[in-house]
Amino acid sequence: SQKIEQNSEALNIQEGKTATLTCNYTNYSPAYLQWYRQDPGRGPVFLLLIRENEKEKRKERLKVTFDTTLKQSLFHITASQPADSATYLCALDMDSSYKLIFGSGTRLLVRP
Amino acid sequence: GAVVSQHPSWVICKSGTSVKIECRSLDFQATTMFWYRQFPKQSLMLMATSNEGSKATYEQGVEKDKFLINHASLTLSTLTVTSAHPEDSSFYICSAPTGGGGTDTQYFGPGTRLTVL
């Protein structure tokens, strides 16, 4: 079965730096790979979606890359701010069904 | 933007009782909704797919007789945890896609914290 690994349980960076989060998966590539933000006690909030045949997507300070050869996605937050502190989840939609397989998440802490 | 709501936001119940959780799409219709469960410090696990007008489909290992799902309208799905036990204590989250084909945004509800005493 598909397994997803997100690089570290926690990432601690200084405000203004770029945060880079990693999502690795086993088995075959998903139709869509998505990134979500989750704050404590809240549901996930959609950030970005990237298709199997896309290499990169950007939205404001966010950038996602997708390498199906490495079976890896990188999620970047540039010019990070303390308000970016949250848990970031990688999720795979294997077959365009909207059924998502989530990674365990990376907790990001941006220090002022 | 599209919003999905859940009610209640938290509930505490005694062991053996049943609890109903509602998931509503507020400004769009959702023929399909999904129910996830999240234990502390763990990620979301898909429990079942709720289909409007037909039976829900459950993921492997999820007891359909314990977690009853009803999707009676295009904007409402309910999850009933029957004969709840302390091990059912968890954070239950629903989601709904706004369209078809996997490319549309999927919105998640704010979650319902269930504590079974």
Side-chain angles (χ1 to χ4, degrees):
Chain A
S1 60
Q2 184 71 272
K3 284 188 171 59
I4 305 172
E5 284 185 8
Q6 293 192 238
N7 56 326
S8 56
E9 196 176 309
L11 185 62
N12 200 321
I13 64 168
Q14 187 71 41
E15 182 177 8
K17 300 292 185 185
T18 296
T20 298
L21 285 65
T22 304
C23 174
N24 293 290
Y25 59 90
T26 59
N27 300 355
Y28 55 97
S29 293
Y32 305 98
L33 188 147
Q34 304 177 26
W35 284 89
Y36 288 82
R37 168 183 173 140
Q38 186 176 27
D39 290 285
R42 308 299 301 270
V45 174
F46 172 79
L47 296 175
L48 280 169
L49 174 153
I50 190 163
R51 295 175 177 75
E52 187 178 10
N53 60 355
E54 295 177 318
K55 297 293 185 188
E56 184 179 297
K57 268 282 185 65
R58 289 174 185 261
K59 178 182 174 184
E60 298 173 352
R61 294 186 295 114
L62 309 180
K63 184 177 86 171
V64 172
T65 62
F66 193 9
D67 188 327
T68 55
T69 302
L70 292 179
K71 297 187 179 180
Q72 181 182 78
S73 174
L74 298 180
F75 178 76
H76 305 273
I77 305 175
T78 58
S80 60
Q81 305 165 0
D84 295 327
S85 298
T87 295
Y88 291 85
L89 303 169
C90 166
L92 309 187
D93 180 345
M94 301 305 298
D95 52 6
S96 305
S97 66
Y98 290 111
K99 294 167 63 172
L100 297 177
I101 306 170
F102 280 90
S104 54
T106 297
R107 196 170 67 252
L108 174 66
L109 176 62
V110 181
R111 303 188 309 275
Chain B
V3 177
V4 173
S5 70
Q6 284 185 238
H7 178 80
S9 55
W10 58 271
V11 57
I12 300 173
C13 69
K14 292 182 179 179
S15 188
T17 59
S18 294
V19 173
K20 181 187 284 188
I21 302 170
E22 294 184 349
C23 175
R24 293 183 186 272
S25 55
L26 297 185
D27 53 0
F28 65 100
Q29 293 182 332
T31 55
T32 302
M33 292 182 175
F34 300 92
W35 287 96
Y36 291 82
R37 181 166 54 181
Q38 185 175 33
F39 291 107
K41 297 193 185 299
Q42 294 185 27
S43 196
L44 285 78
M45 295 293 293
L46 179 64
M47 297 175 67
T49 303
S50 175
N51 304 298
E52 188 269 335
S54 64
K55 288 183 180 179
T57 53
Y58 292 81
E59 296 301 301
Q60 193 172 10
V62 178
E63 300 173 58
K64 62 181 182 182
D65 294 330
K66 180 165 186 64
F67 298 100
L68 301 180
I69 291 172
N70 184 29
H71 196 147
S73 78
L74 287 170
T75 59
L76 174 65
S77 173
T78 60
L79 169 69
T80 300
V81 184
T82 63
S83 187
H85 288 97
E87 57 265 30
D88 299 322
S89 298
S90 188
F91 193 48
Y92 292 87
I93 308 172
C94 68
S95 72
T98 56
T103 61
D104 297 283
T105 301
Q106 183 162 187
Y107 291 92
F108 282 78
T112 297
R113 174 78 58 196
L114 169 63
T115 302
V116 184
L117 302 176

mmCIF file of all heavy atoms in Angstrom, chain A residues 34 36 46 49 93 96-98, chain B residues 1-4 24-34 74 95-108:
data_model
loop_
_atom_site.group_PDB
_atom_site.id
_atom_site.type_symbol
_atom_site.label_atom_id
_atom_site.label_comp_id
_atom_site.label_asym_id
_atom_site.label_seq_id
_atom_site.Cartn_x
_atom_site.Cartn_y
_atom_site.Cartn_z
ATOM 1 N N GLN A 34 -1.309 17.150 -3.139
ATOM 2 C CA GLN A 34 -1.819 18.381 -2.554
ATOM 3 C C GLN A 34 -1.099 18.695 -1.249
ATOM 4 O O GLN A 34 -0.613 17.791 -0.562
ATOM 5 C CB GLN A 34 -3.322 18.243 -2.290
ATOM 6 C CG GLN A 34 -4.122 17.869 -3.511
ATOM 7 C CD GLN A 34 -5.596 17.676 -3.217
ATOM 8 O OE1 GLN A 34 -6.136 18.235 -2.282
ATOM 9 N NE2 GLN A 34 -6.253 16.881 -4.062
ATOM 10 N N TYR A 36 -1.682 20.875 2.383
ATOM 11 C CA TYR A 36 -2.656 21.510 3.266
ATOM 12 C C TYR A 36 -1.941 22.079 4.486
ATOM 13 O O TYR A 36 -0.894 21.597 4.904
ATOM 14 C CB TYR A 36 -3.698 20.497 3.757
ATOM 15 C CG TYR A 36 -4.680 20.049 2.707
ATOM 16 C CD1 TYR A 36 -4.348 19.046 1.791
ATOM 17 C CD2 TYR A 36 -5.948 20.630 2.625
ATOM 18 C CE1 TYR A 36 -5.252 18.649 0.823
ATOM 19 C CE2 TYR A 36 -6.851 20.229 1.658
ATOM 20 C CZ TYR A 36 -6.495 19.239 0.769
ATOM 21 O OH TYR A 36 -7.391 18.834 -0.191
ATOM 22 N N PHE A 46 -6.808 23.863 2.332
ATOM 23 C CA PHE A 46 -6.136 23.609 1.062
ATOM 24 C C PHE A 46 -5.191 24.749 0.696
ATOM 25 O O PHE A 46 -5.547 25.924 0.812
ATOM 26 C CB PHE A 46 -7.190 23.434 -0.038
ATOM 27 C CG PHE A 46 -6.625 23.345 -1.420
ATOM 28 C CD1 PHE A 46 -6.078 22.162 -1.876
ATOM 29 C CD2 PHE A 46 -6.634 24.445 -2.261
ATOM 30 C CE1 PHE A 46 -5.559 22.068 -3.159
ATOM 31 C CE2 PHE A 46 -6.121 24.370 -3.538
ATOM 32 C CZ PHE A 46 -5.578 23.176 -3.994
ATOM 33 N N LEU A 49 -2.326 22.410 -5.248
ATOM 34 C CA LEU A 49 -2.474 21.112 -5.884
ATOM 35 C C LEU A 49 -1.552 21.075 -7.093
ATOM 36 O O LEU A 49 -1.459 22.059 -7.831
ATOM 37 C CB LEU A 49 -3.936 20.909 -6.309
ATOM 38 C CG LEU A 49 -4.312 19.667 -7.116
ATOM 39 C CD1 LEU A 49 -5.775 19.316 -6.846
ATOM 40 C CD2 LEU A 49 -4.107 19.875 -8.615
ATOM 41 N N ASP A 93 -3.929 12.126 -4.020
ATOM 42 C CA ASP A 93 -5.155 11.642 -4.636
ATOM 43 C C ASP A 93 -4.690 10.727 -5.762
ATOM 44 O O ASP A 93 -4.228 11.191 -6.799
ATOM 45 C CB ASP A 93 -5.979 12.819 -5.164
ATOM 46 C CG ASP A 93 -7.281 12.386 -5.821
ATOM 47 O OD1 ASP A 93 -7.450 11.177 -6.131
ATOM 48 O OD2 ASP A 93 -8.147 13.250 -6.041
ATOM 49 N N SER A 96 -7.865 10.555 -8.951
ATOM 50 C CA SER A 96 -8.840 11.628 -9.202
ATOM 51 C C SER A 96 -10.175 11.366 -8.525
ATOM 52 O O SER A 96 -11.207 11.827 -9.007
ATOM 53 C CB SER A 96 -9.098 11.801 -10.714
ATOM 54 O OG SER A 96 -7.904 12.018 -11.405
ATOM 55 N N SER A 97 -10.153 10.630 -7.457
ATOM 56 C CA SER A 97 -11.396 10.289 -6.768
ATOM 57 C C SER A 97 -11.698 11.230 -5.608
ATOM 58 O O SER A 97 -12.742 11.094 -4.983
ATOM 59 C CB SER A 97 -11.322 8.861 -6.231
ATOM 60 O OG SER A 97 -10.314 8.787 -5.209
ATOM 61 N N TYR A 98 -10.778 12.143 -5.292
ATOM 62 C CA TYR A 98 -10.866 13.020 -4.134
ATOM 63 C C TYR A 98 -10.586 12.295 -2.827
ATOM 64 O O TYR A 98 -10.527 12.926 -1.782
ATOM 65 C CB TYR A 98 -12.224 13.717 -4.026
ATOM 66 C CG TYR A 98 -12.463 14.755 -5.092
ATOM 67 C CD1 TYR A 98 -13.414 14.545 -6.082
ATOM 68 C CD2 TYR A 98 -11.767 15.952 -5.088
ATOM 69 C CE1 TYR A 98 -13.635 15.497 -7.054
ATOM 70 C CE2 TYR A 98 -11.991 16.910 -6.056
ATOM 71 C CZ TYR A 98 -12.929 16.680 -7.035
ATOM 72 O OH TYR A 98 -13.165 17.632 -8.002
ATOM 73 N N GLY B 1 -15.233 32.187 -0.391
ATOM 74 C CA GLY B 1 -14.975 30.843 -0.897
ATOM 75 C C GLY B 1 -15.935 29.828 -0.293
ATOM 76 O O GLY B 1 -16.689 30.138 0.622
ATOM 77 N N ALA B 2 -15.887 28.622 -0.832
ATOM 78 C CA ALA B 2 -16.773 27.572 -0.343
ATOM 79 C C ALA B 2 -16.467 27.244 1.105
ATOM 80 O O ALA B 2 -15.330 27.297 1.546
ATOM 81 C CB ALA B 2 -16.606 26.335 -1.210
ATOM 82 N N VAL B 3 -17.497 26.912 1.841
ATOM 83 C CA VAL B 3 -17.342 26.613 3.258
ATOM 84 C C VAL B 3 -18.047 25.325 3.595
ATOM 85 O O VAL B 3 -19.148 25.045 3.102
ATOM 86 C CB VAL B 3 -17.913 27.754 4.130
ATOM 87 C CG1 VAL B 3 -17.819 27.401 5.606
ATOM 88 C CG2 VAL B 3 -17.153 29.047 3.875
ATOM 89 N N VAL B 4 -17.391 24.542 4.433
ATOM 90 C CA VAL B 4 -17.992 23.329 4.976
ATOM 91 C C VAL B 4 -18.064 23.500 6.491
ATOM 92 O O VAL B 4 -17.075 23.880 7.123
ATOM 93 C CB VAL B 4 -17.144 22.098 4.608
ATOM 94 C CG1 VAL B 4 -17.668 20.861 5.323
ATOM 95 C CG2 VAL B 4 -17.155 21.890 3.099
ATOM 96 N N ARG B 24 -22.069 19.970 6.696
ATOM 97 C CA ARG B 24 -22.844 20.711 5.707
ATOM 98 C C ARG B 24 -21.957 21.498 4.764
ATOM 99 O O ARG B 24 -20.994 22.142 5.195
ATOM 100 C CB ARG B 24 -23.786 21.706 6.392
ATOM 101 C CG ARG B 24 -24.892 21.089 7.189
ATOM 102 C CD ARG B 24 -25.816 22.138 7.780
ATOM 103 N NE ARG B 24 -26.786 21.535 8.666
ATOM 104 C CZ ARG B 24 -27.959 21.063 8.274
ATOM 105 N NH1 ARG B 24 -28.290 21.147 6.984
ATOM 106 N NH2 ARG B 24 -28.784 20.508 9.133
ATOM 107 N N SER B 25 -22.311 21.440 3.480
ATOM 108 C CA SER B 25 -21.677 22.344 2.529
ATOM 109 C C SER B 25 -22.577 23.568 2.452
ATOM 110 O O SER B 25 -23.771 23.447 2.165
ATOM 111 C CB SER B 25 -21.534 21.680 1.157
ATOM 112 O OG SER B 25 -22.771 21.219 0.683
ATOM 113 N N LEU B 26 -22.023 24.737 2.752
ATOM 114 C CA LEU B 26 -22.872 25.908 2.960
ATOM 115 C C LEU B 26 -23.246 26.648 1.678
ATOM 116 O O LEU B 26 -24.293 27.261 1.604
ATOM 117 C CB LEU B 26 -22.195 26.872 3.930
ATOM 118 C CG LEU B 26 -21.984 26.312 5.339
ATOM 119 C CD1 LEU B 26 -21.426 27.385 6.261
ATOM 120 C CD2 LEU B 26 -23.292 25.775 5.909
ATOM 121 N N ASP B 27 -22.406 26.667 0.686
ATOM 122 C CA ASP B 27 -22.744 27.439 -0.506
ATOM 123 C C ASP B 27 -22.470 26.669 -1.789
ATOM 124 O O ASP B 27 -22.304 27.263 -2.850
ATOM 125 C CB ASP B 27 -21.994 28.778 -0.521
ATOM 126 C CG ASP B 27 -20.505 28.599 -0.351
ATOM 127 O OD1 ASP B 27 -20.051 27.448 -0.227
ATOM 128 O OD2 ASP B 27 -19.794 29.608 -0.338
ATOM 129 N N PHE B 28 -22.445 25.348 -1.696
ATOM 130 C CA PHE B 28 -22.321 24.544 -2.900
ATOM 131 C C PHE B 28 -22.929 23.174 -2.605
ATOM 132 O O PHE B 28 -23.099 22.793 -1.452
ATOM 133 C CB PHE B 28 -20.861 24.401 -3.353
ATOM 134 C CG PHE B 28 -19.972 23.640 -2.397
ATOM 135 C CD1 PHE B 28 -19.668 22.305 -2.624
ATOM 136 C CD2 PHE B 28 -19.438 24.264 -1.280
ATOM 137 C CE1 PHE B 28 -18.847 21.601 -1.743
ATOM 138 C CE2 PHE B 28 -18.625 23.564 -0.393
ATOM 139 C CZ PHE B 28 -18.330 22.224 -0.632
ATOM 140 N N GLN B 29 -23.247 22.473 -3.671
ATOM 141 C CA GLN B 29 -23.826 21.148 -3.509
ATOM 142 C C GLN B 29 -22.734 20.095 -3.619
ATOM 143 O O GLN B 29 -21.824 20.218 -4.446
ATOM 144 C CB GLN B 29 -24.902 20.923 -4.581
ATOM 145 C CG GLN B 29 -26.102 21.832 -4.400
ATOM 146 C CD GLN B 29 -27.185 21.564 -5.433
ATOM 147 O OE1 GLN B 29 -26.907 21.123 -6.538
ATOM 148 N NE2 GLN B 29 -28.425 21.827 -5.067
ATOM 149 N N ALA B 30 -22.831 19.094 -2.796
ATOM 150 C CA ALA B 30 -21.808 18.052 -2.760
ATOM 151 C C ALA B 30 -22.462 16.681 -2.849
ATOM 152 O O ALA B 30 -23.073 16.221 -1.885
ATOM 153 C CB ALA B 30 -20.981 18.165 -1.484
ATOM 154 N N THR B 31 -22.329 16.049 -4.005
ATOM 155 C CA THR B 31 -22.890 14.703 -4.139
ATOM 156 C C THR B 31 -22.042 13.693 -3.380
ATOM 157 O O THR B 31 -22.500 12.618 -3.042
ATOM 158 C CB THR B 31 -22.956 14.289 -5.620
ATOM 159 O OG1 THR B 31 -21.658 14.421 -6.188
ATOM 160 C CG2 THR B 31 -23.943 15.157 -6.384
ATOM 161 N N THR B 32 -20.796 14.069 -3.145
ATOM 162 C CA THR B 32 -19.890 13.199 -2.404
ATOM 163 C C THR B 32 -19.232 13.982 -1.281
ATOM 164 O O THR B 32 -18.813 15.123 -1.476
ATOM 165 C CB THR B 32 -18.786 12.635 -3.330
ATOM 166 O OG1 THR B 32 -19.394 11.933 -4.405
ATOM 167 C CG2 THR B 32 -17.859 11.700 -2.573
ATOM 168 N N MET B 33 -19.171 13.372 -0.137
ATOM 169 C CA MET B 33 -18.436 13.933 0.990
ATOM 170 C C MET B 33 -17.585 12.820 1.585
ATOM 171 O O MET B 33 -17.852 11.638 1.347
ATOM 172 C CB MET B 33 -19.381 14.498 2.051
ATOM 173 C CG MET B 33 -20.163 15.732 1.608
ATOM 174 S SD MET B 33 -21.202 16.344 2.954
ATOM 175 C CE MET B 33 -21.847 17.836 2.223
ATOM 176 N N PHE B 34 -16.594 13.199 2.331
ATOM 177 C CA PHE B 34 -15.699 12.209 2.915
ATOM 178 C C PHE B 34 -15.609 12.424 4.419
ATOM 179 O O PHE B 34 -15.634 13.557 4.906
ATOM 180 C CB PHE B 34 -14.289 12.326 2.302
ATOM 181 C CG PHE B 34 -14.268 12.109 0.824
ATOM 182 C CD1 PHE B 34 -14.386 13.180 -0.047
ATOM 183 C CD2 PHE B 34 -14.164 10.831 0.294
ATOM 184 C CE1 PHE B 34 -14.386 12.989 -1.413
ATOM 185 C CE2 PHE B 34 -14.168 10.625 -1.078
ATOM 186 C CZ PHE B 34 -14.283 11.702 -1.935
ATOM 187 N N LEU B 74 -28.066 17.109 -0.866
ATOM 188 C CA LEU B 74 -26.843 17.529 -1.541
ATOM 189 C C LEU B 74 -25.966 18.445 -0.699
ATOM 190 O O LEU B 74 -24.884 18.835 -1.122
ATOM 191 C CB LEU B 74 -27.186 18.229 -2.865
ATOM 192 C CG LEU B 74 -27.672 17.293 -3.964
ATOM 193 C CD1 LEU B 74 -28.211 18.087 -5.144
ATOM 194 C CD2 LEU B 74 -26.557 16.370 -4.419
ATOM 195 N N SER B 95 -15.043 16.328 4.581
ATOM 196 C CA SER B 95 -14.593 17.168 3.468
ATOM 197 C C SER B 95 -15.545 17.015 2.307
ATOM 198 O O SER B 95 -16.278 16.016 2.213
ATOM 199 C CB SER B 95 -13.174 16.800 3.024
ATOM 200 O OG SER B 95 -13.165 15.558 2.348
ATOM 201 N N ALA B 96 -15.547 18.016 1.433
ATOM 202 C CA ALA B 96 -16.391 17.969 0.250
ATOM 203 C C ALA B 96 -15.691 18.652 -0.897
ATOM 204 O O ALA B 96 -15.205 19.777 -0.747
ATOM 205 C CB ALA B 96 -17.732 18.657 0.537
ATOM 206 N N PRO B 97 -15.612 18.003 -2.051
ATOM 207 C CA PRO B 97 -15.064 18.655 -3.231
ATOM 208 C C PRO B 97 -16.136 19.515 -3.882
ATOM 209 O O PRO B 97 -17.328 19.214 -3.792
ATOM 210 C CB PRO B 97 -14.680 17.476 -4.132
ATOM 211 C CG PRO B 97 -15.591 16.373 -3.724
ATOM 212 C CD PRO B 97 -15.947 16.590 -2.291
ATOM 213 N N THR B 98 -15.697 20.557 -4.555
ATOM 214 C CA THR B 98 -16.668 21.474 -5.147
ATOM 215 C C THR B 98 -17.074 21.069 -6.549
ATOM 216 O O THR B 98 -18.006 21.620 -7.095
ATOM 217 C CB THR B 98 -16.094 22.904 -5.208
ATOM 218 O OG1 THR B 98 -14.855 22.873 -5.947
ATOM 219 C CG2 THR B 98 -15.836 23.442 -3.821
ATOM 220 N N GLY B 99 -16.355 20.119 -7.141
ATOM 221 C CA GLY B 99 -16.719 19.749 -8.505
ATOM 222 C C GLY B 99 -16.375 18.302 -8.777
ATOM 223 O O GLY B 99 -16.385 17.483 -7.871
ATOM 224 N N GLY B 100 -16.043 17.992 -10.016
ATOM 225 C CA GLY B 100 -15.717 16.625 -10.354
ATOM 226 C C GLY B 100 -14.386 16.514 -11.053
ATOM 227 O O GLY B 100 -13.955 17.443 -11.707
ATOM 228 N N GLY B 101 -13.722 15.388 -10.910
ATOM 229 C CA GLY B 101 -12.522 15.151 -11.691
ATOM 230 C C GLY B 101 -11.215 15.291 -10.950
ATOM 231 O O GLY B 101 -10.162 15.144 -11.532
ATOM 232 N N GLY B 102 -11.229 15.567 -9.682
ATOM 233 C CA GLY B 102 -9.991 15.605 -8.905
ATOM 234 C C GLY B 102 -9.258 16.909 -8.925
ATOM 235 O O GLY B 102 -8.367 17.144 -8.121
ATOM 236 N N THR B 103 -9.625 17.819 -9.855
ATOM 237 C CA THR B 103 -8.865 19.057 -9.938
ATOM 238 C C THR B 103 -9.463 20.179 -9.104
ATOM 239 O O THR B 103 -8.826 21.188 -8.873
ATOM 240 C CB THR B 103 -8.781 19.543 -11.395
ATOM 241 O OG1 THR B 103 -10.116 19.799 -11.860
ATOM 242 C CG2 THR B 103 -8.143 18.501 -12.275
ATOM 243 N N ASP B 104 -10.704 19.996 -8.698
ATOM 244 C CA ASP B 104 -11.331 21.070 -7.956
ATOM 245 C C ASP B 104 -10.918 21.053 -6.496
ATOM 246 O O ASP B 104 -10.567 20.019 -5.954
ATOM 247 C CB ASP B 104 -12.859 20.952 -8.064
ATOM 248 C CG ASP B 104 -13.324 21.096 -9.488
ATOM 249 O OD1 ASP B 104 -13.367 22.228 -9.964
ATOM 250 O OD2 ASP B 104 -13.607 20.070 -10.117
ATOM 251 N N THR B 105 -10.997 22.213 -5.905
ATOM 252 C CA THR B 105 -10.614 22.338 -4.509
ATOM 253 C C THR B 105 -11.521 21.492 -3.630
ATOM 254 O O THR B 105 -12.723 21.400 -3.855
ATOM 255 C CB THR B 105 -10.692 23.802 -4.081
ATOM 256 O OG1 THR B 105 -9.823 24.562 -4.923
ATOM 257 C CG2 THR B 105 -10.234 23.976 -2.644
ATOM 258 N N GLN B 106 -10.924 20.897 -2.633
ATOM 259 C CA GLN B 106 -11.684 20.134 -1.661
ATOM 260 C C GLN B 106 -11.641 20.919 -0.349
ATOM 261 O O GLN B 106 -10.573 21.324 0.106
ATOM 262 C CB GLN B 106 -11.071 18.750 -1.476
ATOM 263 C CG GLN B 106 -11.829 17.871 -0.535
ATOM 264 C CD GLN B 106 -11.488 16.393 -0.674
ATOM 265 O OE1 GLN B 106 -12.120 15.575 -0.055
ATOM 266 N NE2 GLN B 106 -10.496 16.024 -1.474
ATOM 267 N N TYR B 107 -12.803 21.140 0.227
ATOM 268 C CA TYR B 107 -12.887 21.904 1.456
ATOM 269 C C TYR B 107 -13.150 20.985 2.642
ATOM 270 O O TYR B 107 -13.968 20.064 2.560
ATOM 271 C CB TYR B 107 -13.991 22.964 1.364
ATOM 272 C CG TYR B 107 -13.631 24.058 0.391
ATOM 273 C CD1 TYR B 107 -14.019 23.985 -0.946
ATOM 274 C CD2 TYR B 107 -12.879 25.146 0.799
ATOM 275 C CE1 TYR B 107 -13.672 24.981 -1.841
ATOM 276 C CE2 TYR B 107 -12.528 26.153 -0.090
ATOM 277 C CZ TYR B 107 -12.924 26.053 -1.403
ATOM 278 O OH TYR B 107 -12.570 27.047 -2.280
ATOM 279 N N PHE B 108 -12.445 21.260 3.719
ATOM 280 C CA PHE B 108 -12.601 20.484 4.932
ATOM 281 C C PHE B 108 -13.403 21.265 5.965
ATOM 282 O O PHE B 108 -13.318 22.487 6.044
ATOM 283 C CB PHE B 108 -11.233 20.129 5.518
ATOM 284 C CG PHE B 108 -10.553 18.995 4.795
ATOM 285 C CD1 PHE B 108 -9.915 19.212 3.583
ATOM 286 C CD2 PHE B 108 -10.582 17.710 5.319
ATOM 287 C CE1 PHE B 108 -9.302 18.172 2.906
ATOM 288 C CE2 PHE B 108 -9.966 16.655 4.647
ATOM 289 C CZ PHE B 108 -9.326 16.881 3.449
#
